[in-house]
Amino acid sequence: MITRFVALLLAALLCGAVEARAELTYSLSTGYRVDDLDWNKAGFFSETKFVDVLSELSWEDLEIFQLQLGIEGEFKPWRYPVSLVMEGRVGKGWIADGENQDSDFAENGRNQEFSRSNNSADDGDVFDASFGMGPKVRFGPLDLAVTPLAGYSVHRQDLTLSDGFQTIPSFGSFAGLDSEYDTQWWGPWAGLELSLQPLSGLTLGAVFEYHWVDYEAEA
């Protein structure tokens, strides 16, 4: 009985393997995105006075033109509505516009701001690379697909400060500001991808990701 069962199981697997197929898809896309970054540090304002936020730099509304290459491979074994998906993305972006604020504080809780400059951040670039894989499960007549994913990603921002304007004290414009702040972070992530095809030729999708990262930066 056991031998017969094993033989039937192997026969079913072999028949299914004959029908297995793989698909590889490439995509090249351009787009527009907006980034923000807030960085702060604690420190001693004087020899005996420690401040929880001594200095803070924030970049807002970084307008970025991005070019991205994507590769997706889908292996569809047997005749079941489950397939294995592997996908990778590499993107490069160029910053066209943005704002920066550099503030220093004398008291805890960002109180007694004694220095602030508002500067231009219209230069620099960003880079992103990500790889993930997971099973894709299809449901129903609308071709609803749910794909839990796990992967690893690397990201970088090379930011600049220029066209300095001293707001506190109100000294106004000052020359010579040409600073850089380069950040990068990397680590594993987990996510969920949803897609729905309500009409032929129309696909709606959404992706959710949660990242655990190590971070470093150089100013």
Side-chain angles (χ1 to χ4, degrees):
M1 178 65 75
I2 296 178
T3 303
R4 185 178 179 184
F5 173 78
V6 172
L8 291 173
L9 178 61
L10 289 175
L13 292 176
L14 289 173
C15 291
V18 171
E19 298 181 5
R21 58 193 177 94
E23 296 179 357
L24 189 62
T25 305
Y26 299 89
S27 64
L28 182 63
S29 61
T30 62
Y32 170 86
R33 83 187 216 198
V34 178
D35 280 14
D36 292 334
L37 174 69
D38 187 279
W39 173 88
N40 64 75
K41 69 174 184 178
F44 283 93
F45 177 73
S46 63
E47 292 183 358
T48 59
K49 186 177 183 181
F50 186 84
V51 181
D52 59 359
V53 179
L54 178 66
S55 181
E56 182 171 43
L57 281 80
S58 60
W59 284 261
E60 295 182 350
D61 299 329
L62 295 175
E63 300 180 8
I64 300 168
F65 172 78
Q66 179 172 275
L67 182 66
Q68 180 172 273
L69 172 66
I71 301 175
E72 179 176 308
E74 184 174 356
F75 179 66
K76 300 178 178 179
W78 314 304
R79 288 169 292 182
Y80 305 111
V82 180
S83 58
L84 176 64
V85 173
M86 292 178 288
E87 59 182 38
R89 302 186 302 270
V90 177
K92 176 76 172 181
W94 295 268
I95 299 173
D97 196 14
E99 300 177 354
N100 165 266
Q101 179 169 302
D102 183 355
S103 297
D104 298 306
F105 304 92
E107 293 288 346
N108 289 331
R110 296 179 175 83
N111 291 312
Q112 290 194 18
E113 184 179 8
F114 65 90
S115 177
R116 179 197 300 171
S117 64
N118 295 94
N119 317 298
S120 176
D122 57 358
D123 197 6
D125 55 77
V126 299
F127 173 82
D128 304 278
S130 179
F131 171 81
M133 63 183 300
K136 175 183 284 188
V137 184
R138 291 180 171 84
F139 304 91
L142 295 181
D143 199 17
L144 170 65
V146 179
T147 311
L149 293 165
Y152 193 89
S153 66
V154 178
H155 307 269
R156 192 185 74 230
Q157 292 176 322
D158 295 335
L159 309 177
T160 65
L161 287 77
S162 60
D163 301 329
F165 189 92
Q166 189 70 28
T167 309
I168 300 176
S170 56
F171 294 151
S173 299
F174 61 93
L177 180 61
D178 184 19
S179 299
E180 297 181 357
Y181 188 79
D182 300 333
T183 76
Q184 55 183 335
W185 60 97
W186 61 93
W189 59 270
L192 184 67
E193 183 175 301
L194 306 173
S195 66
L196 181 68
Q197 192 171 17
L199 299 172
S200 177
L202 175 64
T203 300
L204 305 176
V207 179
F208 306 90
E209 294 180 4
Y210 187 88
H211 292 246
W212 295 267
V213 301
D214 290 316
Y215 171 89
E216 70 177 20
E218 181 177 355

